[in-house]
Structures are given as C-alpha cells and as structure tokens.
Amino acid sequence: MARIDIEDVAHRYTADAAWAVDALTHSFRDGSASAILGPSGCGKTTLLSILSGLLHPTRGTLRIDGREATGLPPRQRKIAQVFQFPVVYEAMTVFENLAFPLRNGGMAKDEVKTRVKATAELLGLTASLDRRASGLSADEQQIVSLGRGLIRPDTAALLLDEPLTVIDPLRRWEIRQKLRHVHQETNATLVYVTHDQTEALTFADEVVVMDQGRVMQVGTPRELFETPKHAFVGHFIGSPGMNFLPCRLAGRELLVDGHRLPVDRNAFTDPGSGELELGIRPEFLELAREEVDGALPVRIRSASALGDHHLVRVALGERPLQVRVPDGTPIPTECGFLRFPPEWIRLYRDGRLLT
Ligand code: ATP
C-alpha cells in the first residue's frame, strides 16, 4: 500500500466560514493503522474527504507515495473507503460483490477467483460466498464492504469512516478484532475515523486527536493516556477524563488550594509565570483512610461501583476530583487522604503541557 503525506492542509466551505480543517500537517506511514479521533464537528469527515479526493482543500498539499496528488480525482488515487453504512449490491452474491471491483478493473477471470478466495478467507467469508448480500446481517454486510475496499491489489489506502455505526454493540468488538487481524496480515495503510475513543484506542497504533479543525496531539494510545500534551486531550481521552486543579509552583513544591505538594521539579524545565494547572488521571490518584506522607485531606462526596473498580468523587476544599479505586480497596466514608504520585502529575499552562 502507500504512504500519504499532507502538508499545511486547510479547508473552509465558504470564504467567510471558520476553517473546518486548519494548518494540518501529518504523514500516514505505509502500512500504519491510524485513527482520527475527535468530537462532532472537529473536521474528521472534511479531512477524510480531502484524503479520498471528494474535496479539494482550500490550501495545502497532499502526496501519495511522494507523488503530488492534491488535484487528483478519487478514481486515480486508488484510495478505498468503508462508510458508516455498508455499500453492497444486495442482488449479488458475496462472491460477486467482492469480484466487482476486480472485474471492473479488467482483471482476468482466474485471478479474480484467486483474489476473492483469499480475501474471503482473510475475513471469514468463505462459507458465505454463494449467499445473496440481501440475506446478510448489517455486520456481515459491513465485512463484505471491507473486503471490497481491500481486494484490489493496487489500493493505496483504506479509509474507514465510523464503520461500526450500524453494527450491533455486541458485535463491534468482533469486527474490531477482525480489522486488527486484517492489518496484521495485509500491512494495509488504514485510516479509521471515529468520535469514539474506545474504537480509536483499540484499533490504532497511532491516534490523531483533533479539535476545532486542528491536530491537538498525535501519539500512541499509551502516550495520549499518560502524557496528554494538551488539556483538551486529557479531558477527551479517558473515562472519566483527567482531573485539573489550578496551582502555583514554589520551588520543588506545588501550591494547590492552600496545600503543598512535592513534585519532580526536574520534569518542568519551563515553569514561566501565570496561571498553571495540575493534571492527574483518576487512575493514578491514591485514596487512603489514614493520613499518609504527602497526602492531602479530602471529603468524600460519593462512590459508584463500576464492575472492577469504584469511581469516587471527592472534594479538595471546594475543588472536585474523581478517583478510580480498584475493587477490594477500602473506601473512606466521610474524610480521606489523597496522594498525588509525583511521577503522574502533569503541569499545564494555558492548556499546554509543560515539559
Ligand atoms: P461529525 O463527527 O459530526 O461528522 P466531523 O468531525 O466529521 O463531525 P466535519 O463534518 O468535517 O466534522 O465538520 C467540520 C466543520 O465544517 C463543522 O463546523 C461543520 O459544520 C462544517 N461543515 C461540514 N460540512 C460542511 C458543508 N458541506 N458546508 C458547510 N460547512 C460544513
């Protein structure tokens, strides 16, 4: 498959509209599984349409395998797409659906047969090849759509636009597994667009997080979780998202709501001045019943049992925080002590991570 480079790409739908995609530079590596993740309206579909050639960007360049492709029509880009709703010919069999893009391209009969068989095997469709597409469930039809996207030998990349929208929630996990399998077996360049963090984080090796037309961070699921570069990413990734507290740096300590917290000062080379925020994930806070060294006193507001953990809402002074407590850990009833492990404290100035 191919590498896709976009350089300083921007798009607005009318001259006086806000930028739907703004100053975006990114490379989708050959053979990578990427996700574009962001809330509704952040520009995901616009970016996807620019990649597929349905939209010509207002500004910027797109290259496929190093060759200029900004003005190329969709057909010539050889970028396949799987949409929210399955695109299959219901009157045709699964075999005919898979063969269709190959026959259209003038491929010899024997080769068509070989490729259809291999693709069916990859996707677990072998037993369904003679079935009419009209008799398939939505998830089976979506797998056929995926096969149609993958089957051409000259496909440069496969774009998946919220492909699990119509899939029964119980089958989504299965299809995500199938996509991972397809990626491992074929090394296809896959770009998966979604607003659902679970889908993005389980599918992709690299996630592009967008907000208001801009890329906020590109990283592995782990990087986005452990070190959000922007407060937006801290809020958006995680369930619930990161806790934020206004604070001040005083030497090797942080002043938080009148309390002193030790931090690994070496982690912050540019404390500067002005309003700072401490960010810490609910998973990394430690709640204790007894006073422990360096822990801050908190009031317990509520605790909800959520399977293998409790989500405990506490207040530090008037500041609310959420703490994820593993099942089996004793939870204080009225007052407790909250430890902020220094290695998990992140500092943000104007929403940006201090490094
Ligand atoms: P969703 O998840 O809801 O599909 P999205 O992240 O895909 O959202 P886009 O559909 O790309 O976001 O929209 C980005 C911005 O561009 C939004 O402000 C939207 O209102 C605007 N927009 C999208 N399509 C058009 C259009 N055809 N004409 C005018 N504005 C548009």
Side-chain angles (χ1 to χ4, degrees):
M1 287 213 176
R3 168 194 174 98
I4 305 175
D5 299 300
I6 47 179
E7 202 181 308
D8 194 28
V9 160
H11 187 76
R12 57 180 167 197
Y13 287 90
T14 54
D16 55 353
W19 293 100
V21 162
D22 193 3
L24 216 148
T25 296
H26 183 67
S27 292
F28 297 95
R29 283 175 289 108
D30 186 5
S32 58
S34 313
I36 301 172
L37 172 68
S40 182
C42 73
K44 304 181 294 292
T45 306
T46 305
L47 176 58
L48 209 65
S49 303
I50 292 170
L51 292 175
S52 67
L54 294 173
L55 263 186
H56 192 282
T58 314
R59 192 184 76 215
T61 324
L62 183 139
R63 287 192 197 83
I64 300 177
D65 265 349
R67 283 204 303 273
E68 165 73 41
T70 323
L72 276 189
R75 270 180 157 271
Q76 289 175 27
R77 297 188 180 201
K78 307 214 163 49
I79 289 181
Q81 202 161 343
V82 175
F83 298 92
Q84 292 184 356
F85 300 95
V87 179
V88 291
Y89 296 107
E90 295 214 328
M92 291 184 186
T93 64
V94 171
F95 184 99
E96 288 163 341
N97 266 285
L98 292 175
F100 191 80
L102 302 179
R103 289 177 175 156
N104 240 4
M107 187 179 275
K109 215 172 163 184
D110 281 355
E111 208 182 328
V112 169
K113 216 169 164 180
T114 310
R115 278 199 78 80
V116 169
K117 275 183 138 179
T119 304
E121 203 153 302
L122 174 71
L123 296 172
L125 289 170
T126 307
S128 307
L129 280 174
D130 294 330
R131 288 176 66 193
R132 256 184 217 293
S134 55
L136 302 177
S137 60
D139 50 299
E140 288 168 323
Q141 288 191 347
Q142 194 61 310
I143 298 286
V144 175
S145 302
L146 178 63
R148 283 162 52 94
L150 285 167
I151 202 159
R152 286 178 58 156
D154 57 352
T155 299
L158 181 64
L159 311 182
L160 302 121
D161 186 3
E162 307 255 10
L164 304 187
T165 306
V166 295
I167 308 300
D168 182 319
L170 294 172
R171 305 290 314 268
R172 288 186 186 171
W173 184 83
E174 207 175 302
I175 297 195
R176 284 206 305 261
Q177 291 302 103
K178 200 158 268 188
L179 276 170
R180 293 292 316 165
H181 172 69
V182 163
H183 185 247
Q184 277 155 12
E185 292 295 311
T186 61
N187 241 352
T189 307
L190 303 178
V191 182
Y192 189 115
V193 165
T194 180
H195 65 277
D196 182 322
Q197 56 167 305
T198 310
E199 283 180 27
L201 301 178
T202 51
F203 166 79
D205 306 322
E206 184 172 78
V207 182
V208 179
V209 185
M210 289 182 68
D211 186 39
Q212 297 182 26
R214 289 187 165 263
V215 171
M216 307 308 283
Q217 186 169 354
V218 179
T220 62
R222 186 173 177 167
E223 285 163 353
L224 299 177
F225 186 75
E226 292 188 352
T227 312
K229 288 198 173 151
H230 201 285
F232 170 82
V233 179
H235 281 295
F236 192 70
I237 304 269
S239 182
M242 205 169 206
N243 295 295
F244 287 94
L245 289 170
C247 65
R248 274 196 302 124
L249 255 175
R252 291 183 77 88
E253 290 179 320
L254 277 181
L255 293 178
V256 183
D257 208 53
H259 301 280
R260 288 180 175 272
L261 267 184
V263 282
D264 179 2
R265 179 66 179 73
N266 295 332
F268 311 118
T269 52
D270 174 27
S273 59
E275 294 286 307
L276 286 182
E277 274 187 310
L278 170 164
I280 189 161
R281 293 251 176 227
E283 289 81 353
F284 300 141
L285 284 166
E286 293 169 9
L287 185 60
R289 283 197 290 201
E290 312 297 330
E291 189 160 6
V292 282
D293 207 20
L296 306 187
V298 290
R299 277 176 293 114
I300 312 298
R301 286 187 164 161
S302 68
S304 319
L306 296 171
D308 64 348
H309 69 276
H310 281 78
L311 189 65
V312 184
R313 292 178 180 81
V314 305
L316 174 69
E318 291 307 310
R319 305 272 175 201
L321 290 161
Q322 304 199 70
V323 189
R324 196 173 154 132
V325 178
D327 208 16
T329 310
I331 298 170
T333 43
E334 282 178 26
C335 295
F337 295 89
L338 200 57
R339 195 175 156 259
F340 293 65
E343 69 273 27
W344 292 118
I345 291 178
R346 304 288 177 258
L347 267 191
Y348 295 84
R349 191 171 60 208
D350 300 330
R352 291 190 183 281
L353 179 73
L354 290 182
T355 54

